Amino acid sequence: MRGTRTTARTRTLLAAPLIALALLTVTSCEDSGGSGSGYGAGPVSPSAEQPSPEQPPADAPAGTEAPADAAPDPAPEPAPATVTVKTAESELGTILVDGKGRTLYGFTKDKPGQATCDADCIAVWPALISATDVTAGPGTEAALLKETKLGTGAEQAVYGDWPLYYYVGDVTPGDVNGQGLDGEWFVIAADGKLIKKEAETVV
């Protein structure tokens, strides 16, 4: 009987430390999964009360942060420049020019107030077009200045009966190199009539 009690007591003494160790392990696991630092426990998932990084805090004023992908406000477009038709003195007399002094021409195949110059023609004789109303400058008659719509939706300036064109061969203001070409292109006088005399040849 004495040997049996001694064996039972020995087992009890050996079991006590094991039970204590088990309790200590369970307590440590519960602490690491709670509200502590989580050190060694991996990333902590955000709770319902903790906002995600993409969301501002609940007490932050609305609109304090712009979205990362928000486009910047577009810069204001510059106002269209005013286009002017005026007169200037040339070797052909007083003729129409634009605000920068470039010579303007009429095309004899055009109908009154209606342009007939096609794409190939426009490549050599660019039309005087403007996104704003064309202004009558010094020496011109405002009543003779108007506009005609082109097929592209743009508007071409017209003086008298003549839609207005430039000539690509004119390099500087005052050049009249397009005068009389093909017997169809002529500069225009202040009264809206074509000037058909030939330009003086410089020797």
Side-chain angles (χ1 to χ4, degrees):
M1 293 291 293
R2 182 181 177 90
T4 302
R5 286 197 297 269
T6 302
T7 302
R9 185 177 178 182
T10 302
R11 289 178 180 175
T12 302
L13 293 174
L14 291 174
L18 295 176
I19 293 172
L21 179 61
L23 290 174
L24 180 61
T25 302
V26 171
T27 303
S28 298
C29 291
E30 289 178 354
D31 290 342
S32 65
S35 59
S37 64
Y39 176 76
V44 180
S45 300
S47 65
E49 295 78 23
Q50 185 178 11
S52 64
E54 293 81 6
Q55 297 175 341
D59 57 350
T64 55
E65 293 184 4
D69 58 349
D73 294 335
E77 295 183 1
T82 301
V83 176
T84 302
V85 173
K86 61 181 183 178
T87 60
E89 295 301 319
S90 74
E91 59 192 77
L92 297 169
T94 303
I95 63 172
L96 294 185
V97 297
D98 72 358
K100 296 181 179 180
R102 294 175 296 178
T103 303
L104 297 168
Y105 298 86
F107 182 33
T108 57
K109 288 188 176 181
D110 281 348
K111 298 176 181 179
Q114 182 179 351
T116 61
C117 191
D118 60 18
D120 291 338
C121 170
I122 288 293
V124 180
W125 301 90
L128 173 58
I129 59 176
S130 174
T132 61
D133 291 337
V134 181
T135 303
T140 62
E141 297 181 33
L144 295 178
L145 187 61
K146 43 192 179 290
E147 295 172 345
T148 183
K149 290 188 178 298
L150 302 178
T152 58
E155 293 187 345
Q156 181 176 3
V158 176
Y159 194 85
D161 291 336
W162 306 107
L164 302 179
Y165 302 88
Y166 298 103
Y167 175 52
V168 294
D170 288 344
V171 179
T172 60
D175 285 351
V176 288
N177 298 320
Q179 176 67 0
L181 286 183
D182 300 325
E184 298 170 341
W185 297 91
F186 300 95
V187 297
I188 306 171
D191 60 3
K193 296 180 180 180
L194 298 181
I195 299 175
K196 293 191 176 181
K197 70 178 182 178
E198 294 182 4
E200 297 179 2
T201 303
V202 179
V203 180

